[in-house]
């Protein structure tokens, strides 16, 4: 498989299982890396894992072809619709394997 895109998902940990389940279901054999317990600040709130801002994010990234990128985009749209109050973002960039 030639990887054309890097998909980067940044989201509240509360929806991590939902996202991973859908990715594995819709893109069999998908390979990804998760960075758990990620701190940050989004448009509406902070996620710092402390007593003031107790929630945390996670980051998932995967390299995929164009078809996989389209599926990831559709999956993330569905997750955002299901959980409109959670911070959920997905970004794509061009990738080249060397």
């Amino acid at each position: 498989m030639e990887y054309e895109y890097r998909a980067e998902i940044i989201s509240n940990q509360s929806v991590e299982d939902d996202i991973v389940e859908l990715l594995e279901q819709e893109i069999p054999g998908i390979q990804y890396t998760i960075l758990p317990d990620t701190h940050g600040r989004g448009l509406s709130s902070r996620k710092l894992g402390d007593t003031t801002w107790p929630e945390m994010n996670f980051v998932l990234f995967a390299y995929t072809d164009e078809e996989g990128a389209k599926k990831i985009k559709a999956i993330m749209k569905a997750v955002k619709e299901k959980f409109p109050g959670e911070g959920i973002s997905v970004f794509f960039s061009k990738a080249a394997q060397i």
Side-chain angles (χ1 to χ4, degrees):
M1 169 186 277
E2 187 173 319
Y3 300 114
E4 300 175 43
Y5 297 95
R6 174 186 166 133
E8 187 169 308
I9 298 167
I10 304 170
S11 180
N12 190 310
Q13 283 182 333
S14 65
V15 295
E16 180 178 347
D17 290 342
D18 296 270
I19 291 170
V20 171
E21 182 179 322
L22 284 170
L23 288 172
E24 291 181 351
Q25 177 183 320
E26 297 298 321
I27 308 171
I30 187 171
Q31 298 175 17
Y32 56 86
T33 298
I34 294 177
L35 306 174
D37 301 335
T38 305
H39 297 182
R41 178 181 177 192
L43 294 174
S44 62
S45 68
R46 298 173 191 260
K47 306 284 199 255
L48 301 178
D50 60 17
T51 55
T52 305
W53 305 99
E55 293 183 318
M56 297 281 279
N57 283 335
F58 76 99
V59 177
L60 180 150
F61 60 90
Y63 293 90
T64 187
D65 59 11
E66 186 172 355
E67 181 181 337
K70 288 177 182 178
K71 288 181 180 181
I72 291 170
K73 186 175 178 181
I75 289 165
M76 297 311 297
K77 182 179 178 187
V79 172
K80 284 182 173 189
E81 288 173 0
K82 185 176 179 182
F83 302 101
E86 298 298 336
I88 302 169
S89 298
V90 62
F91 302 93
F92 292 94
S93 57
K94 288 283 190 172
Q97 187 171 355
I98 55 174

